[in-house]
Amino acid sequence: KQEVTQIPAALSVPEGENLVLNCSFTDSAIYNLQWFRQDPGKGLTSLLLIQSSQREQTSGRLNASLDKSSGRSTLYIAASQPGDSATYLCAVRPLKSDSWGKFQFGAGTQVVVTP
Amino acid sequence: NAGVTQTPKFQVLKTGQSMTLQCAQDMNHNSMYWYRQDPGMGLRLIYYSASEGTTDKGEVPNGYNVSRLNKREFSLRLESAAPSQTSVYFCASRTGTGAEKLFFGSGTQLSVL
């Protein structure tokens, strides 16, 4: 069974510092991996999607890397701002037919960026 | 463009009561999902519908039923609510045609006393 882990559970950084968020998964047979942002009391918003054949994906200050063989993805947020404070979750989409389309989520990393 | 709409936003039930959570999307998506989110546990899949007329169990289906009423709507029913079903429930959708993103509703906070 696929297990998705995000460590640490919480992180606090001063404004301007780069953020590094980790996601690990136990089964490398994935179709893709997504990173989401969740603000308190809100739903999830997809930030980046990386296909299993890709090594990284970028959008503005966000960069996500994927190392499928080692079961890891990292989300980098450059020059953090207080508005980046949120919980960040990763989710993998399995490649196996019996789990096709069923995304598996990590528990998330709660980020606080202090002014 | 409303995206994914969930109702109600908040609900309090007594043990044994029943209720239906409603979800509708206006993006012409094929696939729809119901997840629950509990503190420290991430999101866990309750049920999944790959397309209109199909449903499949997820990781935690016990105590729930679903109906894919049409392409737009996917409802989740609790027949006899239990305190263990206290959670935040999210509906999500995607086109279902390839490597596309998931879109989420804003959630339903459910408390079962």
Side-chain angles (χ1 to χ4, degrees):
Chain A
K1 177 178 178 275
Q2 177 76 271
E3 301 284 345
V4 182
T5 304
Q6 292 185 250
I7 296 173
L11 186 61
S12 181
V13 298
E15 183 177 3
E17 195 166 294
N18 295 333
L19 277 165
V20 180
L21 306 176
N22 299 305
C23 172
S24 61
F25 46 95
T26 55
D27 188 343
S28 61
I30 66 169
Y31 187 68
N32 60 40
L33 184 146
Q34 282 189 62
W35 281 95
F36 294 86
R37 170 185 172 133
Q38 185 177 28
D39 293 294
K42 306 282 188 181
L44 282 70
T45 300
S46 182
L47 297 173
L48 289 169
L49 183 150
I50 313 178
Q51 290 287 77
S52 62
S53 58
Q54 295 177 312
R55 296 286 292 182
E56 66 178 84
Q57 192 68 251
T58 299
S59 176
R61 294 185 295 113
L62 276 59
N63 175 278
S65 66
L66 176 64
D67 184 343
K68 203 173 60 165
S69 60
S70 67
R72 291 185 199 172
S73 177
T74 302
L75 178 67
Y76 301 91
I77 303 177
S80 61
Q81 304 167 0
D84 294 327
S85 298
T87 298
Y88 293 84
L89 296 91
C90 65
V92 299
R93 182 177 165 188
L95 197 53
K96 295 175 181 174
S97 59
D98 61 349
S99 301
W100 186 248
K102 297 178 181 179
F103 296 81
Q104 189 78 24
F105 281 80
T109 295
Q110 185 176 14
V111 171
V112 174
V113 180
T114 56
Chain B
N1 191 340
V4 180
T5 303
Q6 289 183 238
T7 56
K9 293 192 182 302
F10 302 95
Q11 184 71 47
V12 178
L13 293 177
K14 294 181 180 177
T15 297
Q17 287 186 317
S18 63
M19 79 160 295
T20 300
L21 279 65
Q22 307 286 353
C23 175
Q25 51 88 12
D26 61 2
M27 297 174 283
N28 201 35
H29 286 174
N30 290 309
S31 299
M32 298 186 73
Y33 301 77
W34 276 105
Y35 283 93
R36 61 178 287 175
Q37 185 175 35
D38 301 293
M41 298 189 71
L43 275 76
R44 292 183 291 168
L45 182 64
I46 306 172
Y47 269 95
Y48 163 56
S49 173
S51 60
E52 184 179 353
T54 68
T55 61
D56 193 11
K57 293 179 180 179
E59 186 182 353
V60 288
N62 292 343
Y64 305 96
N65 286 303
V66 290
S67 296
R68 184 72 184 267
L69 305 169
N70 47 55
K71 191 171 185 179
R72 290 187 62 249
E73 298 172 289
F74 189 36
S75 62
L76 179 72
R77 182 160 178 84
L78 287 70
E79 290 292 352
S80 179
S84 61
Q85 294 178 306
T86 294
S87 188
V88 180
Y89 291 84
F90 287 101
C91 178
S93 71
R94 64 183 181 93
T95 61
T97 58
E100 68 288 356
K101 296 180 178 180
L102 269 178
F103 291 82
F104 279 82
S106 57
T108 296
Q109 173 81 57
L110 176 67
S111 295
V112 183
L113 306 177

